[in-house]
Amino acid sequence: MRASARDEEYTAYVTARLPWLQRVAYLLCQDWHRADDLVQTAMTRLYVNWRRAGAVENLDGYARTVLVRVFLSEQRTGWWKRVAVAPDPPESAESALTADHDARLDLRAALAALPPRQRAAVVLRFYCDLSVEQTADVMHCSTGNVKSQTARGLAALRRAFEPAGVWEGES
């Protein structure tokens, strides 16, 4: 394949799938700026390996796997602990008043509080709709690990949304 044809194919793919990749990255890291950095790193790796990526059956799965591995790798380096980015300002006062917006913010905060591997397992299983086996493949771990990480993550999310006093015998 000619280099220009390969570049055009890569550019067409990234242009079409960029919003989806950014949403997945945001769900993983809970920061739009960092999500952009993750996607940029993942897309660079995808470009370097485009010949191999172009030969796979599920290109979206391949790109998602690269993205999740970039995220998990970054978590191990500690970069995310050294660099703090201020949160985005609210979009508008009007949209901040809606219940859906509040619920979304609560869910994002609860998701952000999960440890990275639990967050990755929950995002891959429920946002990306992957099976336990597919998630294990993406995360380079056993299916049992995926099940336990997912169960722990869901339990933490449930606790975050329980009304106060439920476990203290209050009604």
Side-chain angles (χ1 to χ4, degrees):
M1 178 183 292
R2 293 183 348 264
S4 62
R6 187 182 69 184
D7 288 352
E8 288 172 16
E9 187 179 287
Y10 170 81
T11 302
Y13 174 77
V14 170
T15 301
R17 301 307 288 161
L18 189 61
W20 171 74
L21 287 165
Q22 288 172 322
R23 281 192 303 273
V24 172
Y26 177 79
L27 288 172
L28 292 169
C29 69
Q30 300 295 305
D31 179 317
W32 284 111
H33 301 290
R34 189 163 161 229
D36 287 340
D37 291 344
L38 289 172
V39 170
Q40 182 176 6
T41 302
M43 291 302 94
T44 300
R45 290 184 185 174
L46 186 66
Y47 180 76
V48 169
N49 296 300
W50 186 248
R51 184 166 291 138
R52 183 177 358 155
V56 299
E57 254 183 63
N58 182 359
L59 188 53
D60 285 345
Y62 187 91
R64 181 183 49 238
T65 298
V66 171
L67 178 64
V68 171
R69 289 180 183 168
V70 165
F71 167 72
L72 291 174
S73 173
E74 186 179 277
Q75 293 300 115
R76 287 187 291 270
T77 65
W79 175 90
W80 65 279
K81 291 179 184 176
R82 294 188 307 266
V83 178
V85 180
D88 291 333
E91 291 134 18
S92 71
E94 196 172 45
S95 67
L97 299 176
T98 65
D100 287 342
H101 184 74
D102 290 341
R104 228 176 312 144
L105 289 175
D106 290 343
L107 180 59
R108 286 180 186 167
L111 195 57
L114 294 178
R117 293 192 69 79
Q118 287 179 18
R119 190 178 328 140
V122 169
V123 168
L124 290 171
R125 292 281 291 124
F126 299 103
Y127 181 76
C128 297
D129 200 27
L130 295 185
S131 69
V132 171
E133 293 77 17
Q134 291 168 322
T135 303
D137 185 49
V138 170
M139 293 178 62
H140 276 302
C141 65
S142 69
T143 56
N145 190 299
V146 169
K147 290 176 186 178
S148 67
Q149 293 291 332
T150 303
R152 289 180 187 139
L154 290 176
L157 291 175
R158 284 186 193 104
R159 281 191 305 273
F161 288 101
E162 284 177 352
V166 167
W167 294 109
E168 295 149 10
E170 297 178 15
S171 40

